[in-house]
Amino acid sequence: MANSNNFAFDVHLDDLAFLLINRNVCKAAGKNCLFVDAGGNTCWETTEDFGARGGAGLHSRYVDACVGFSPSFTRALIFDFTDSIVPQTQTFFYVLQGNPNNFNWRDLRGKRIGFPTRWYTDPDCMARNADKIQGARLDSSQIVYYAQAADIYDALQRREIDAGFFTNELEDLASSLEVASDAITTCTTAGDALMIRKDNPISEWFNPALRTVLRSREYREICKDVDDYYNTFLTGRSSEFVCLGY
């Protein structure tokens, strides 16, 4: 565990959240934050054999916190979370453009679904929709995990799966496919945050500092820059995707 002023964070989120924490929140709290891209299963992992579980790096205190992890029902059993850094994302079923196989998300009986590993969009999340989706509790033979989210697109092309199930945070993949369902809201309880061990008191200084930053002029300037970027490169998106209360 780092000392009272030095903290190591694993980072995998977009540049806005990184900038928010690195330049603003840690500075406002008077903390020295070291950011590392630990990769792999440092924070969280999901496998066909063992399902979803906490990553070895966070359990062993290799990092103090993992940036950009949403509080899911499963994760909350193992770890704690700070206040959200970005708004809550949405989860959908995705298919090839035009839905050539006529996938019906309301009936998953006999369907194979692709999931990206290490994400909260897992079979447990899907199963919580059994009241409105037939066959929502998938058999193991219907579940296929992909280490690289982009592999879901190839799997759909090969008809290895009938649909992918993932968050709109994976925007490059989502933009190449077609949304085939209503938004699924049972995967997370809030937006991406810092995921921490339950014995780690980071929230005591992080949350007040975050609230200070969200009220700052600099934060509004960051969000304005994001709007300008989206208007130029990602038509149809806005800073509402990554900015809180802007």
Side-chain angles (χ1 to χ4, degrees):
M1 179 68 67
N3 68 34
S4 59
N5 285 307
N6 298 298
F7 298 88
F9 293 163
D10 176 74
V11 177
H12 81 121
L13 200 58
D14 57 73
D15 290 342
L16 172 73
F18 181 84
L19 186 65
L20 169 66
I21 298 170
N22 190 25
R23 292 188 181 176
N24 298 38
V25 179
C26 292
K27 180 181 177 181
K31 305 297 182 181
N32 300 315
C33 299
L34 171 66
F35 295 86
V36 297
D37 185 3
N41 299 324
T42 298
C43 299
W44 191 259
E45 63 177 330
T46 308
T47 66
E48 294 184 35
D49 293 332
F50 300 105
R53 59 182 180 177
L58 192 52
H59 275 307
S60 66
R61 299 182 174 88
Y62 176 74
V63 293
D64 295 283
C66 292
V67 180
F69 282 79
S70 293
S72 69
F73 295 92
T74 304
R75 289 173 178 172
L77 296 174
I78 305 169
F79 296 122
D80 280 343
F81 295 83
T82 64
D83 289 346
S84 296
I85 303 169
V86 296
Q88 188 171 5
T89 56
Q90 296 180 316
T91 300
F92 300 92
F93 287 91
Y94 288 88
V95 296
L96 295 174
Q97 294 289 343
N99 193 10
N101 297 322
N102 296 314
F103 173 76
N104 175 15
W105 70 282
R106 296 284 190 179
D107 188 354
L108 301 182
R109 292 174 297 178
K111 304 299 182 183
R112 286 169 59 85
I113 308 298
F115 300 86
T117 60
R118 300 190 298 276
W119 285 81
Y120 53 79
T121 50
D122 57 24
D124 288 339
C125 164
M126 187 182 296
R128 296 189 190 95
N129 295 271
D131 60 328
K132 58 183 178 183
I133 302 176
Q134 279 192 299
R137 296 185 175 89
L138 301 180
D139 181 83
S140 60
S141 64
Q142 297 175 265
I143 300 169
V144 186
Y145 286 109
Y146 295 93
Q148 302 297 323
D151 292 341
I152 292 177
Y153 180 86
D154 295 332
L156 285 166
Q157 291 275 30
R158 297 191 301 267
R159 297 194 175 186
E160 180 179 307
I161 56 175
D162 296 281
F165 185 74
F166 55 88
T167 167
N168 59 350
E169 276 183 288
L170 298 173
E171 54 189 295
D172 289 341
L173 177 59
S175 64
S176 65
L177 297 171
E178 181 176 308
V179 172
S181 69
D182 294 345
I184 304 298
T185 59
T186 55
C187 293
T188 62
T189 57
D192 287 354
L194 267 62
M195 187 166 68
I196 57 180
R197 286 171 54 101
K198 287 186 177 290
D199 59 357
N200 193 324
I202 280 181
S203 295
E204 294 177 7
W205 63 261
F206 184 88
N207 290 348
L210 176 62
R211 289 192 289 269
T212 297
V213 168
L214 293 178
R215 295 192 297 265
S216 70
R217 180 176 181 178
E218 185 174 2
Y219 181 72
R220 291 193 295 274
E221 289 298 320
I222 292 173
C223 291
K224 182 180 181 301
D225 289 343
V226 171
D227 260 340
D228 292 341
Y229 174 82
Y230 282 158
N231 288 336
T232 303
F233 298 105
L234 291 173
T235 304
R237 288 281 292 277
S238 74
S239 59
E240 293 179 359
F241 184 74
V242 290
C243 288
L244 290 163
Y246 174 73

